[in-house]
């Protein structure tokens, strides 16, 4: 943290690094901790990587670490790509207007909260990803609380098939989202968890709730559905 003029930091494939403090590296543009396998295991909040003061940050890679959250500046930054650890629990991206790639592994099983607001350049929410393909929503399969507002302009379809931990959904101002599906949401033996669904300012043409076989069911936990 004393190297205040640092613009790039790369430490990869380390099995010794347990904590990183970038809180005073305001000029940092690129940081990679890829495959630093025990990063985030020290006490005192080491599992959270704070880059909220890195106003010029463009690229972040925490894949293969124990980092559970990356704190970005809630007022925005120059962040273009962030690739996250599959240990991630909370994703909050607000006013990241340059962000194009939010790399979330489909193996992120401890994901509790996703909050994406005013990220209207965002095109990809998973990795690996295919350039020019529509966003792959399956990366959020294990999420419990999901909010997306004024982001992901190319997203046209969302399917919650197999989302058996989902509790709260809030989707607002997604300009091309036309197809929303709960089809085959749960296995027949799975207890429902979904409590609230709020869909606002969406150009939906299809909202479907169907099962394709007796192995699936559509069920909610006394849920509220708001289509205002």
């Amino acid at each position: 943290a004393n190297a205040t003029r640092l613009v790039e930091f790369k430490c990869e494939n380390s099995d010794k690094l347990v904590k990183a403090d970038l809180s005073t590296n305001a000029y940092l543009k690129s940081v990679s901790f890829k495959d630093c396998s025990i990063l985030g295991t020290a006490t005192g909040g080491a599992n959270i990587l704070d880059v909220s003061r890195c106003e010029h940050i463009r690229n972040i890679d925490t894949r293969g670490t124990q980092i559970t959250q990356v704190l970005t500046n809630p007022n925005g930054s120059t962040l273009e790509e962030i690739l996250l650890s599959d240990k991630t629990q909370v994703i909050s991206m607000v006013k990241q207007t340059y962000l194009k790639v939010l790399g979330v592994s489909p193996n992120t099983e401890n994901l509790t909260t996703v909050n994406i607001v005013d990220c209207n350049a965002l095109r990809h929410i998973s990795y690996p990803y295919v350039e020019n393909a529509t966003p792959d929503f399956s990366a959020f399969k294990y999420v419990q609380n999901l909010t997306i507002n004024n982001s992901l302009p190319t997203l046209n379809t969302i399917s919650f098939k197999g989302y058996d931990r989902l509790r709260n959904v809030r989707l607002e101002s997604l300009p091309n989202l036309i197809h929303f599906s709960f089809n085959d949401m749960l296995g027949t033996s799975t207890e429902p968890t979904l409590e609230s669904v709020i869909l606002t300012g969406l150009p939906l043409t299809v909202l479907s709730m169907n099962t394709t076989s007796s192995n699936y069911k559509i069920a909610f936990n006394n849920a509220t559905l708001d289509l205002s």
Side-chain angles (χ1 to χ4, degrees), residues 11-120:
C11 177
E12 299 181 346
N13 300 296
S14 171
D15 60 358
K16 304 296 182 183
L17 184 65
V18 297
K19 186 176 182 179
D21 182 358
L22 304 175
S23 60
T24 62
N25 300 108
Y27 293 93
L28 198 62
K29 294 182 179 180
S30 177
V31 58
S32 177
F33 293 109
K34 184 181 178 183
D35 294 327
C36 291
S37 57
I38 61 172
L39 176 63
T41 59
T43 58
N47 58 313
I48 298 176
L49 182 66
D50 186 353
V51 295
S52 61
R53 297 183 183 179
C54 303
E55 297 179 359
H56 305 284
I57 195 73
R58 294 181 181 175
N59 303 94
I60 301 170
D61 192 341
T62 64
R63 290 176 297 173
T65 72
Q66 304 298 312
I67 296 295
T68 62
Q69 183 178 6
V70 178
L71 292 179
T72 57
N73 190 326
N75 295 314
S77 67
T78 56
L79 183 63
E80 297 177 0
E81 179 182 81
I82 179 168
L83 305 178
L84 296 173
S85 161
D86 62 9
K87 305 301 181 183
T88 297
Q89 296 177 11
V90 177
I91 298 172
S92 183
M93 296 289 150
V94 178
K95 297 182 180 179
Q96 301 300 327
T97 56
Y98 296 92
L99 183 64
K100 297 178 181 178
V101 177
L102 172 61
V104 183
S105 165
N107 299 318
T108 309
E109 297 186 4
N110 295 317
L111 190 60
T112 61
T113 302
V114 172
N115 184 48
I116 302 173
V117 178
D118 293 335
C119 297
N120 44 31

Side-chain angles (χ1 to χ4, degrees), residues 106-172:
N107 299 318
T108 309
E109 297 186 4
N110 295 317
L111 190 60
T112 61
T113 302
V114 172
N115 184 48
I116 302 173
V117 178
D118 293 335
C119 297
N120 44 31
L122 187 58
R123 295 294 187 273
H124 301 287
I125 52 177
S126 62
Y127 69 81
Y129 62 89
V130 178
E131 196 66 45
N132 299 320
T134 56
D136 181 3
F137 217 73
S138 63
F140 294 155
K141 181 179 180 180
Y142 298 102
V143 70
Q144 296 179 29
N145 303 291
L146 174 67
T147 297
I148 305 178
N149 186 347
N150 189 33
S151 304
L152 289 166
T154 62
L155 182 65
N156 55 38
T157 300
I158 291 179
S159 170
F160 285 122
K161 179 179 180 178
Y163 281 59
D164 57 8
R165 302 181 189 179
L166 197 60
R167 294 182 180 276
N168 300 287
V169 178
R170 188 180 189 99
L171 304 178
E172 299 182 68

